[in-house]
Amino acid sequence: MTHRNLVVLTGAGVSAESGVPTFRASDGLWCGHRVEEVATPEGYAADPALVQDFYNQRRRQLAEVHPNAAHLALAELAARWEGDFLLVTQNVDDLHDRAHERVLPAPGFELIHMHGELLKGRCTRSGVVSRWTGDMAAHEPSPDHPDGRIRPHIVWFGEMSLRMDRIDRALSACDLFVSIGTSGNVYPAAGFVQQARHAGARTVEINLEPTLGRSMFDEGVYGPATRTVPEFFAGL
Ligand code: OAD
């Protein structure tokens, strides 16, 4: 079977073997914090120092991790894919970006960080997004607006995911949809498989183990992403 229009969705599982922790650990906490404390606009308003410190730590950790075989297999696929290939990640790390720096992608390729990026900051007043590699202070002043502050460019709970128009268009035209290393707990990403099915696409889940949404996919491939992702795409 040949495919032309590919959409791949990735989640925390694709970066797990690089040493980036996933979200849904069995203790229900995200690196020791309740999600409401560190991943909501209300949490930021209540305690900006705590929230900035949380993301400062994650941003610093990026210097210690590297793309793994799954990121690299997707980058190599992007270089040789002849149709449209939209890679949508829920991850805020830059491991896909770094993998794609090593191999020039084909013209039909695009990468979207639908939940934002740790290495970007956003002005709370102007909305201007800029690259940000260092720490952010609790009340980091914005160069773009006298009353603005710089906050992490991260989509928090209660906020809209980014670039949804572009993602919806790709899903409605795709003939292969592959979901990698995501628990399927968070919408709208959890609904992508249904959109792809509606478009008539072949749908595949790649994960360490079957997720609760397994029955929505045509096929499942199970095992660590560093093995399963290169194998699956080599066999296409
Ligand atoms: P989760 O932590 O919910 O799920 C991680 C998934 O990766 C699980 O299904 C694991 O089985 C799988 N997994 C773990 N290690 C793996 C490996 N080595 N190979 C393959 N699969 C593996 O993370 P996400 O689904 O990405 O949102 O979470 C979605 C969103 O929830 C995140 O983007 C974040 C969070 O709240 C925001 O920050 C807005």
Side-chain angles (χ1 to χ4, degrees):
M1 205 185 317
T2 54
H3 301 286
R4 200 166 161 76
N5 296 329
L6 167 65
V7 177
V8 173
L9 171 69
T10 65
V14 82
S15 295
E17 290 164 84
S18 291
V20 181
T22 59
F23 295 93
R24 282 166 191 81
S26 52
D27 57 7
L29 296 178
W30 182 7
C31 301
H33 293 277
R34 286 186 302 120
V35 165
E36 307 86 75
E37 279 174 356
V38 294
T40 61
E42 294 77 18
Y44 173 64
D47 195 343
L50 173 88
V51 173
Q52 292 288 27
D53 185 51
F54 180 81
Y55 292 98
N56 287 342
Q57 284 182 40
R58 321 248 92 63
R59 199 175 298 111
R60 282 187 223 141
Q61 281 164 6
L62 293 183
E64 292 155 25
V65 297
H66 303 283
N68 64 43
H71 300 107
L72 295 174
L74 288 166
E76 277 151 24
L77 182 71
R80 65 181 161 86
W81 191 262
E82 287 175 4
D84 289 335
F85 175 4
L86 182 65
L87 174 56
V88 183
T89 187
Q90 298 168 90
N91 299 342
V92 296
D93 65 54
D94 66 336
L95 294 177
H96 281 305
D97 307 74
R98 279 194 256 162
H100 288 275
E101 276 165 15
R102 301 184 190 185
V103 207
L104 193 67
F109 175 76
E110 192 178 352
L111 166 64
I112 292 180
H113 283 268
M114 66 177 291
H115 289 166
E117 292 169 72
L118 274 170
L119 293 179
K120 289 186 178 164
R122 185 162 80 233
C123 172
T124 54
R125 296 300 292 268
S126 70
V128 170
V129 174
S130 49
R131 187 167 164 81
W132 203 280
T133 53
D135 284 353
M136 290 181 193
H139 300 279
E140 183 71 45
S142 169
D144 298 302
H145 194 287
D147 301 324
R149 294 184 202 166
I150 296 289
R151 56 161 274 185
H153 182 49
I154 302 283
V155 175
W156 287 327
F157 285 91
E159 297 182 326
M160 298 278 285
S161 294
L162 307 174
R163 311 274 321 270
M164 284 308 300
D165 285 0
R166 171 73 183 95
I167 297 170
D168 287 342
R169 259 188 291 124
L171 286 167
S172 65
C174 77
D175 49 28
L176 175 62
F177 172 75
V178 185
S179 173
I180 304 172
T182 174
S183 59
N185 273 304
V186 174
Y187 280 84
F192 289 178
V193 58
Q194 276 144 325
Q195 285 178 262
R197 284 180 79 93
H198 192 70
R202 172 186 172 201
T203 55
V204 183
E205 162 171 280
I206 302 182
N207 201 296
L208 213 45
E209 56 196 14
T211 67
L212 290 174
R214 164 68 182 96
S215 60
M216 285 184 286
F217 291 84
D218 298 320
E219 297 156 51
V221 177
Y222 300 105
T226 53
R227 174 174 60 78
T228 49
V229 172
E231 274 176 14
F232 176 78
F233 288 108
L236 264 192

